[in-house]
Amino acid sequence: MDNATEVFQPLEADDPPLVAGYRLAARIGAGGMGRVYLSHTPGGRPVAIKVVRPELADAPAFMHRFRREIKAAQRVRGAYTAELIDADADGVPPWLATLYVPGPSLTEAVERRGPLPVAAVLWLMAGVAEALQAIHSKGIVHRDLKPSNVLLAADGPRVIDFGISLASGVTSHTETGATIGTPAYMAPEQASAGELTSATDIFALGQTVAFAALGEPLYGEGPSVSVLYRIVHSEPDLSRLPVQLRPLVARCLAADPEDRPTPEEVVEWCRRQLGPDADAGAGPAVWREVTGPELIVPGPVPEPTPVPTLPLVPWPLPAEPAVRRRSGRRRTTLVTAVAVTAGALLLTGLTWTVMDAVDRLRDRAASASGTPGPKASSSVSEGGGRTEGKVRSSVTPTPSATPSKAPQAVAYPWQMLSEKNSLSIKEPVERKNRNGDIRFVCGQTCSLESRTSVMSMHMGKPGATLDACRTDLDITPSHRLTLTLVAAGSEICVKHPSGDIALFVVQVKSTALPDSGVSFLAGDLTVWRAP
């Protein structure tokens, strides 16, 4: 973890490009509660964006904890904590942003280089104790202090993740009797679901410091039940610790919370052990030895070039003489459209021939120019099949003398489709039930289905226009669209029986486990309302 390529991973297909206006630059990590991304403030300062997993966003107990994390982080300010910048527990998905700390966690640092030298452990202990001072001064108990929640910046440690913190004096029984925390770093009273106080964090501090000095948990590894039994019923073996550290670690790990030192006492004891170095500013040099070369953080992601969502040329195209001047251009457009059509036909598995598409596009071009084209022999029925002897077209054969009113584009950002809800082209767009026009269905594979509207995946250049969607929907309409080839950035055109046409731009696709019940599709919806 000594270079940026190991720390910052490129965004994957199911990662959103931005969260609540924060444009994401890289993926930092992922865990049980969600994913963490690198982004930047408008002024360019790096921030870490924590995004909650969709299935957890629907879990009341977890969201209660997440809101508590936000409130705790808003209250805590200190030199050794990561400051909260922004958050929204009611967002879709919920998220929070803290200042990014450019450095490995204590767990990662020990895995990379082994146990830390005594001087580094003393600086670590003093810094984490000072962070606990700031936390406890707000009446908050962290409850999950451990090596992975301690980041090693170039100027000292940072304590992060207040996800299960609570106000002092409240027992863990408030969580319906559940014991919350990481077993290897719990205090005896926490392991036995007793009363939690600031002394609980001091016990975890002693265990964290022991891990830094030994390179492994003080109470050993194995099943959680075995580790907790040793914490509650046995004395820790401190003989493996460096002699300088044993007295204070022993006090931190006292079975009786009353016998443990306060954070202020820990800081003072560490300063005495460090001697003159404590006042000589030797800490940064020690941390550089532990953290390695300074991490180069990627810069902000530039804003994408805006893509117009409405056509710049009115439809249909003007008649003579402009059509003659553009005839060569129309032929080029026709060839390009045929190539796009051929790719769409292969992907969707329809049995149309490319010549069908050519005939349709020729009819449209002829209709726009006022020159009759060859009569088509078949077209698409409402169910997506072929119907002999009739032609359906959304193009008016003869332009009206009075220009028709242009359809109005209405944006509905960040719409999520799961197996519990649906979307409608007509307002209200979001439906909490399955009665909307478009439903998300997952079995062996996942797909979008509709009994009323037809859909088509846009295979051309990104930024489909109204006319592009009209063409797609005339050529490859279907009431069912499989999501096998859909990814972040894919564009899906939809046509409602009312004449409204919509464009759904996929931002996040989560269908890796179709039978899990937690698959979903999220994106931005634009609807062109028929006049």
Side-chain angles (χ1 to χ4, degrees):
M1 191 157 170
D2 53 359
N3 60 73
T5 58
E6 295 180 21
V7 179
F8 304 108
Q9 300 296 319
L11 298 180
E12 298 182 2
D14 58 347
D15 290 324
L18 56 89
V19 173
Y22 288 92
R23 192 159 295 279
L24 306 185
R27 182 191 284 206
I28 300 174
M33 64 80 64
R35 294 174 180 172
V36 182
Y37 301 96
L38 174 71
S39 186
H40 299 79
T41 65
R45 196 169 186 183
V47 293
I49 307 288
K50 180 188 292 186
V51 179
V52 173
R53 289 159 54 108
E55 60 270 29
L56 293 179
D58 293 330
F62 177 85
M63 289 308 300
H64 174 68
R65 288 173 49 188
F66 187 69
R67 287 185 172 86
R68 190 167 60 199
E69 174 179 4
I70 292 174
K71 291 179 180 179
Q74 287 172 334
R75 294 165 60 186
V76 175
R77 295 288 186 273
Y80 295 104
T81 60
E83 182 178 351
L84 181 72
I85 300 298
D86 201 356
D88 185 1
D90 297 316
V92 181
W95 59 275
L96 65 79
T98 61
L99 285 180
Y100 175 70
V101 179
S105 70
L106 178 57
T107 301
E108 294 163 337
V110 170
E111 287 177 350
R112 186 186 64 211
R113 58 149 295 151
L116 305 188
V118 172
V121 175
L122 289 171
W123 282 107
L124 169 74
M125 197 172 194
V128 174
E130 190 169 326
L132 291 178
Q133 277 185 268
I135 294 169
H136 295 166
S137 68
K138 301 299 182 181
I140 296 170
V141 180
H142 191 292
R143 293 205 299 171
D144 198 25
L145 181 65
K146 56 186 177 181
S148 61
N149 280 341
V150 177
L151 303 182
L152 305 183
D155 58 350
R158 298 288 190 278
V159 174
I160 63 170
D161 198 351
F162 299 91
I164 59 174
S165 59
L166 84 170
S168 298
V170 179
T171 70
S172 59
H173 291 292
T174 58
E175 296 289 340
T176 64
T179 301
I180 297 178
T182 303
Y185 298 93
M186 284 184 177
E189 66 272 19
Q190 190 173 9
S192 58
E195 183 180 5
L196 305 186
T197 66
S198 58
T200 302
D201 289 339
I202 296 298
F203 192 98
L205 172 61
Q207 292 172 298
T208 300
V209 167
F211 172 84
L214 297 174
E216 61 184 17
L218 180 62
Y219 286 89
E221 299 176 325
S224 298
V225 174
S226 300
V227 174
L228 292 174
Y229 183 88
R230 290 193 291 269
I231 290 174
V232 175
H233 298 286
S234 65
E235 293 289 331
D237 179 12
L238 304 181
S239 62
R240 296 180 297 153
L241 289 173
V243 175
Q244 303 98 307
L245 300 176
R246 293 177 192 173
L248 185 57
V249 172
R251 286 191 63 194
C252 291
L253 300 179
D256 187 346
E258 297 293 331
D259 295 334
R260 298 169 198 161
T262 65
E264 293 81 1
E265 290 173 325
V266 172
V267 172
E268 184 57 34
W269 188 91
C270 290
R271 288 179 60 84
R272 289 199 302 268
Q273 294 297 313
L274 288 168
D277 287 344
D279 296 316
V286 173
W287 285 117
R288 279 194 296 271
E289 179 185 350
V290 173
T291 61
E294 184 176 354
L295 187 66
I296 299 176
V297 180
V301 176
E303 291 290 332
T305 302
V307 178
T309 57
L310 293 175
L312 299 179
V313 179
W315 181 268
L317 294 173
E320 299 285 355
V323 171
R324 278 201 300 270
R325 292 199 299 269
R326 295 190 177 96
S327 60
R329 187 180 305 167
R330 183 178 296 111
R331 283 194 294 272
T332 302
T333 304
L334 181 61
V335 172
T336 303
V338 170
V340 172
T341 301
L345 295 175
L346 290 174
L347 289 173
T348 56
L350 298 176
T351 58
W352 286 18
T353 64
V354 176
M355 289 307 299
D356 289 322
V358 173
D359 290 340
R360 285 178 167 275
L361 291 172
R362 185 181 290 116
D363 288 345
R364 170 166 292 195
S367 175
S369 64
T371 303
K375 186 174 182 65
S377 60
S378 63
S379 68
V380 182
S381 69
E382 193 66 28
R386 296 166 63 90
T387 305
E388 298 296 331
K390 60 180 180 180
V391 178
R392 294 170 55 217
S393 174
S394 61
V395 180
T396 304
T398 305
S400 172
T402 303
S404 60
K405 185 179 179 181
Q408 292 294 313
V410 184
Y412 302 91
W414 195 258
Q415 299 296 321
M416 181 175 289
L417 268 169
S418 70
E419 293 186 275
K420 298 180 180 179
N421 71 342
S422 59
L423 290 182
S424 285
I425 303 304
K426 292 296 184 181
E427 294 181 331
V429 169
E430 183 182 357
R431 303 292 175 94
K432 300 298 184 182
N433 51 40
R434 302 284 285 174
N435 297 331
D437 298 314
I438 305 171
R439 290 169 297 283
F440 178 83
V441 180
C442 266
Q444 292 298 320
T445 60
C446 296
S447 63
L448 295 181
E449 297 182 0
S450 176
R451 291 189 295 268
T452 54
S453 298
V454 291
M455 296 168 283
S456 177
M457 188 169 171
H458 177 65
M459 305 302 295
K461 293 183 179 180
T465 63
L466 172 59
D467 286 341
C469 275
R470 281 173 171 164
T471 300
D472 292 339
L473 290 163
D474 275 350
I475 296 172
T476 59
S478 176
H479 289 281
R480 183 177 184 274
L481 179 68
T482 181
L483 299 178
T484 304
L485 298 178
V486 171
S490 294
E491 300 178 347
I492 300 170
C493 297
V494 184
K495 184 177 181 180
H496 189 265
S498 66
D500 290 352
I501 292 179
L503 175 67
F504 186 81
V505 181
V506 178
Q507 300 292 352
V508 182
K509 171 191 170 185
S510 178
T511 60
L513 299 173
D515 296 326
S516 65
V518 295
S519 299
F520 69 95
L521 193 70
D524 300 323
L525 181 71
T526 299
V527 180
W528 286 280
R529 300 290 182 196

